[in-house]
Amino acid sequence: MEDLPGGTLAVDALPTQRHDLAVDGNGVAFTPSLFCDHAVTVVDLALPPRIRYPARSLATVWHTDTTTPPTAPADLLGRTRARILGHLAQPTSTTELAQRLGVTPGTVSRHLGVLHRTGLVTRARHGHFVLYLRSPLGDRLLT
């Protein structure tokens, strides 16, 4: 997608298709969705352009993790903390992490407290949720 002069939005629908959409002051509608895991541009030439994106903390709630964390972080942090850290590339709530990992929210909360105190994750309030995100230090630990 690219912004062209004169209120026109260029959208690459497929590798071989391109649509030039007149925005005409209507802008682009951004819609959170539970049914996508990446941004999707919806092109209906009769409607204003719309981009659907995963709803934060909810769109991937049914995803589960069956992968084993890398050995070194698991040896250092413990398997559960390493798995939690691995899931925090995107802001995520305690409840979502618990559902993904198949453990209780209390267990996740205790581990997140330790990871936060050690500087491996950051946290920020978003409405009624506290969202956790891997810090740059946490990123380096996993690489």
Side-chain angles (χ1 to χ4, degrees):
M1 194 168 17
E2 94 186 64
D3 189 13
L4 299 175
T8 303
L9 183 68
V11 177
D12 295 325
L14 296 171
T16 59
Q17 288 184 344
R18 179 181 166 140
H19 297 284
D20 292 337
L21 306 174
V23 178
D24 295 329
N26 293 326
V28 177
F30 289 88
T31 307
S33 174
L34 295 175
F35 305 104
C36 63
D37 59 2
H38 62 281
V40 177
T41 304
V42 178
V43 177
D44 181 341
L45 300 177
L47 298 172
R50 176 176 307 276
I51 297 175
R52 291 194 175 115
Y53 63 92
R56 182 176 283 176
S57 296
L58 298 174
T60 57
V61 75
W62 53 82
H63 291 191
T64 58
D65 176 36
T66 58
T67 61
T68 305
T71 304
D75 290 345
L76 178 66
L77 302 172
R79 189 171 187 272
T80 302
R81 286 188 187 138
R83 288 178 66 207
I84 289 171
L85 197 59
H87 277 278
L88 292 175
Q90 298 293 323
T92 309
S93 71
T94 302
T95 303
E96 183 178 352
L97 283 168
Q99 289 173 339
R100 284 185 184 180
L101 300 172
V103 297
T104 67
T107 297
V108 171
S109 181
R110 283 192 306 277
H111 288 301
L112 284 170
V114 172
L115 293 170
H116 182 260
R117 286 190 303 277
T118 59
L120 296 174
V121 301
T122 61
R123 64 182 175 202
R125 181 162 292 284
H126 183 74
H128 294 293
F129 296 99
V130 174
L131 299 177
Y132 292 85
L133 180 66
R134 196 168 49 229
S135 70
L137 179 60
D139 286 337
R140 286 193 305 273
L141 181 66
L142 291 183
T143 56

